[in-house]
Amino acid sequence: MLMVVQKRMKMKDYAYKIDAHDRIIAISPDWVNFAEANQASVLSRTVLGSSLWSHLYGPEITLIFETLLRRVRHENRTLTFPFRCDSPGKRRYMQMMMRPLADHAVEFVSTLLREEPRDEVALLNPATQRDDRFIVMCAWCKKVKTPEWVEVEEAIIRLRLFAQPFLPHITHGVCPSCKDTVLNQDD
Ligand SMILES: [Zn+2]
């Protein structure tokens, strides 16, 4: 989910649809452009027909998506929640909407709300060399567990990750605050 793009803020919709079997059956042109601008060109070419679950990381995130999808399909609800889709040099504040369609299909629409430039964060650059350590990042807000959940810049200070030749790998989880926001929303 590393992404860059556009300087000027435009309300673009990065959308995809899944069928009743959770297969990705449509992706919007904006989504493809977005992915291709962001080192995810392989993903955009192979994503159609693939399972949603092959793109999600870890049991905790899977469980949350299962819960959300159940709510969208069986309660026929549209859910909206905030998330971050940062790149090394940008904080990107996004909103995701999950909308029920006919025949248990579901549409996911991600909208860029705003972005802030920042000093490049090497920890978020896929090209950075890694050692055998792991840190956990919240898949929604991109905070890092230190054990308190803090912004990545603060985590680098707390975990003394500045000026190291190798950095830890990043795994994804969900912080308590996002778990609460995502799972306990009223629309
Ligand atoms: Zn979070």
Side-chain angles (χ1 to χ4, degrees):
M1 284 209 264
L2 283 173
M3 319 255 146
V4 198
V5 255
Q6 263 95 20
K7 268 255 164 338
R8 278 287 59 167
M9 196 67 55
K10 262 204 265 168
M11 295 296 271
K12 286 195 168 208
D13 284 339
Y14 307 105
Y16 58 96
K17 290 178 192 171
I18 58 170
D19 66 9
H21 306 288
D22 302 334
R23 279 189 302 255
I24 297 172
I25 49 169
I27 50 181
S28 68
D30 284 341
W31 196 97
V32 175
N33 294 337
F34 191 68
E36 293 195 337
N38 293 283
Q39 306 143 328
S41 55
V42 176
L43 185 65
S44 70
R45 277 196 297 273
T46 58
V47 76
L48 268 184
S50 67
S51 166
L52 171 71
W53 306 105
S54 68
H55 305 287
L56 300 177
Y57 341 73
E60 211 177 4
I61 294 165
T62 299
L63 190 67
I64 290 177
F65 267 85
E66 283 169 352
T67 308
L68 295 175
L69 281 172
R70 208 177 308 127
R71 218 171 273 170
V72 171
R73 284 176 170 141
H74 300 296
E75 298 170 21
N76 204 39
R77 289 178 59 180
T78 296
L79 304 178
T80 306
F81 48 84
F83 72 104
R84 288 261 294 273
C85 189
D86 291 2
S87 70
K90 280 182 186 137
R91 296 186 195 96
R92 313 182 81 248
Y93 296 82
M94 315 272 296
Q95 176 176 275
M96 177 173 280
M97 183 186 73
M98 293 172 65
R99 193 165 70 91
L101 303 173
D103 301 320
H104 281 128
V106 176
E107 182 179 42
F108 296 72
V109 181
S110 297
T111 307
L112 176 63
L113 303 176
R114 66 193 169 91
E115 63 184 11
E116 295 168 357
R118 64 172 167 202
D119 291 341
E120 192 89 0
V121 177
L123 185 63
L124 299 181
N125 187 337
T128 297
Q129 287 198 292
R130 310 286 166 166
D131 53 27
D132 54 4
R133 295 171 297 167
F134 286 86
I135 57 168
V136 182
M137 176 174 276
C138 176
W140 273 268
C141 70
K142 301 297 185 275
K143 287 182 177 166
V144 174
K145 192 174 185 181
T146 69
E148 293 83 27
W149 294 85
V150 296
E151 288 288 329
V152 65
E153 288 91 341
E154 174 66 18
I156 286 165
I157 295 167
R158 292 195 189 190
L159 300 173
R160 302 185 162 277
L161 296 176
F162 39 85
Q164 292 191 7
F166 297 98
L167 291 173
H169 293 272
I170 297 172
T171 58
H172 289 87
V174 56
C175 76
S177 161
C178 288
K179 196 169 193 170
D180 190 55
T181 307
V182 172
L183 291 182
N184 300 313
Q185 55 184 311
D186 297 310
D187 47 2

